[in-house]
Amino acid sequence: MTELLLQPVGSLTPAETLRLAQQAPEILRKNPRAFSASPLSSLFTAPETADIWTIYENLMISCLRTGDDEAAKECLERIVTRFGDSHDRALALKGLLKEATAPNNSELEKVLGEYEALLEQNDGNIPIRKRRVALLRSMGKLPEAVTALNSLLDVCPTDPEAWAELADMYVSQGLYSQAIYALEEVLVLSPNAWNMQARLGEILLMAAATSSDGGAQRHHAEAVKRFCRSIELCDDYLRGYYGLKLVTDKLVQSAPKSKKDSDGFQLPDQATLEKLNQVATEKLGEIVRRNGAKDKLWQGYDAGEIAAARELLDSSSVKVVR
């Protein structure tokens, strides 16, 4: 189970997070509070490794998510003992603990003030800059969060997670063009990220719904490409197939007269669209069927996504071929 603590905590399910947090007392008991710099100490205690600090950090976050503040504080104390109070990462984790345990908005404002004071001393503290963005967003100060994140990206333009966060904030404001640009930056840095390919396809569909006919066609054509690329990179990615079926359902039913616009964006021909629709329908049907049958190799999908896929299949006029 502790292997999960070496993974990004954002990839853990709520059930996995709870199980890890419940194991916190045992994990903390088995590992020393501090490591000695003496070479002789390695003869009597377990050696220090980089993994232990990743485990402490991820365990702290898991405990905060489940409300075990005491175990989270113990994890933080061990990190601070090792790296010191002024270490950039330690400062960000201390701020995270304060955010999670703040009883009201007034306390969150104090934490925000502390972040700004730290940045006045050292504006190159990237972990603190990221925590400030996250706190601004959680407090509902979205314009300020966007400004802060754009400022961060001016300094660190090769951070795909920051670009993805910026895209998400733009989407929440209905600024689809800006969100598309931000996600394209993500894919420049991580071209094989199938989830980001599908996410870009989803945003293109949102943009198409608010565009004129020509703009909608352009967005639909690009969405087809993105969803196809997503499932090319990950053969069983449900969201990729869901998006592909959604956009091809729309295009097959509307059968646009113009296949190409003045900017050179071209939709696939009708036969290709129908074939893509059939492939997406068959694969979604297989995923839903095998997941529902508790097939061991087809578990792990989000229950909400499975339900949405089943609803889409039920509402579609295209029958699943089995």
Side-chain angles (χ1 to χ4, degrees):
M1 180 61 71
T2 54
E3 290 80 6
L4 291 175
L5 287 170
L6 296 175
Q7 301 177 13
V9 288
S11 65
L12 300 178
T13 65
E16 289 172 335
T17 300
L18 178 60
R19 287 198 297 272
L20 287 173
Q22 289 171 340
Q23 292 185 13
E26 182 68 11
I27 294 172
L28 292 170
R29 184 185 66 79
K30 287 183 176 180
N31 291 283
R33 288 179 174 272
F35 292 90
S36 172
S38 170
L40 294 176
S41 66
S42 62
L43 298 175
F44 308 102
T45 61
E48 178 184 0
T49 65
D51 285 350
I52 188 63
W53 306 112
T54 302
I55 288 172
Y56 281 154
E57 181 175 332
N58 289 343
L59 184 61
M60 171 189 165
I61 296 172
S62 297
C63 290
L64 288 177
R65 290 177 66 185
T66 56
D68 189 351
D69 297 341
E70 291 305 313
K73 289 176 183 177
E74 174 65 23
C75 292
L76 178 60
E77 286 173 5
R78 296 188 182 195
I79 293 171
V80 171
T81 299
R82 171 61 179 82
F83 296 101
D85 278 323
S86 59
H87 187 272
D88 288 356
R89 194 72 178 174
L91 287 170
L93 291 174
K94 288 170 68 176
L96 176 62
L97 179 63
K98 291 178 181 179
E99 290 177 43
T101 56
N104 51 51
N105 201 60
S106 177
E107 290 299 315
L108 288 177
E109 290 285 357
K110 291 181 182 178
V111 177
L112 185 59
E114 290 177 9
Y115 288 159
E116 290 170 352
L118 287 169
L119 290 174
E120 286 180 4
Q121 298 172 15
N122 176 19
D123 64 356
N125 189 330
I126 301 303
I128 289 295
R129 293 184 74 158
K130 288 186 174 183
R131 286 261 34 100
R132 179 170 177 268
V133 171
L135 181 53
L136 284 169
R137 185 174 186 183
S138 70
M139 294 174 69
K141 299 181 178 182
L142 201 53
E144 293 94 328
V146 169
T147 300
L149 190 47
N150 272 306
S151 177
L152 172 62
L153 285 166
D154 286 339
V155 178
C156 299
T158 57
D159 187 337
E161 292 183 354
W163 281 112
E165 181 72 11
L166 182 61
D168 193 55
M169 287 195 278
Y170 280 138
V171 168
S172 68
Q173 295 177 295
L175 302 173
Y176 301 123
S177 296
Q178 291 89 330
I180 290 168
Y181 174 84
L183 273 187
E184 286 174 343
E185 290 294 321
V186 174
L187 292 173
V188 167
L189 300 166
S190 304
N192 294 329
W194 60 83
N195 58 328
M196 291 294 101
Q197 294 281 356
R199 180 57 177 161
L200 180 51
E202 292 167 357
I203 296 174
L204 285 161
L205 285 182
M206 297 179 200
T210 60
S211 300
S212 60
D213 290 344
Q217 177 175 310
R218 191 160 56 250
H219 290 317
H220 283 143
E222 185 64 21
V224 170
K225 294 178 186 177
R226 296 299 181 176
F227 288 127
C228 285
R229 180 58 175 157
S230 173
I231 60 178
E232 180 185 14
L233 291 167
C234 183
D235 183 57
D236 296 322
Y237 191 49
L238 185 150
R239 292 180 76 104
Y241 286 104
Y242 184 96
L244 183 59
K245 177 167 174 56
L246 202 63
V247 67
T248 52
D249 270 354
K250 182 181 293 290
L251 293 173
V252 167
Q253 292 168 10
S254 62
K257 295 180 181 179
S258 173
K259 296 292 183 180
K260 188 172 183 180
D261 68 9
S262 59
D263 294 328
F265 286 86
Q266 186 170 5
L267 287 170
D269 58 48
Q270 192 73 3
T272 300
L273 288 172
E274 290 175 358
K275 187 172 183 179
L276 289 172
N277 186 276
Q278 181 181 353
V279 168
T281 301
E282 290 176 358
K283 190 67 177 184
L284 275 181
E286 182 182 18
I287 291 172
V288 169
R289 185 171 65 255
R290 292 196 173 188
N291 180 270
K294 306 300 180 184
D295 190 319
K296 185 177 180 180
L297 299 178
W298 294 79
Q299 301 307 300
Y301 290 102
D302 182 82
E305 292 180 356
I306 289 289
R310 184 181 292 109
E311 183 179 348
L312 179 63
L313 290 169
D314 290 343
S315 64
S316 175
S317 59
V318 182
K319 302 298 182 182
V320 178
V321 179
R322 300 184 180 179

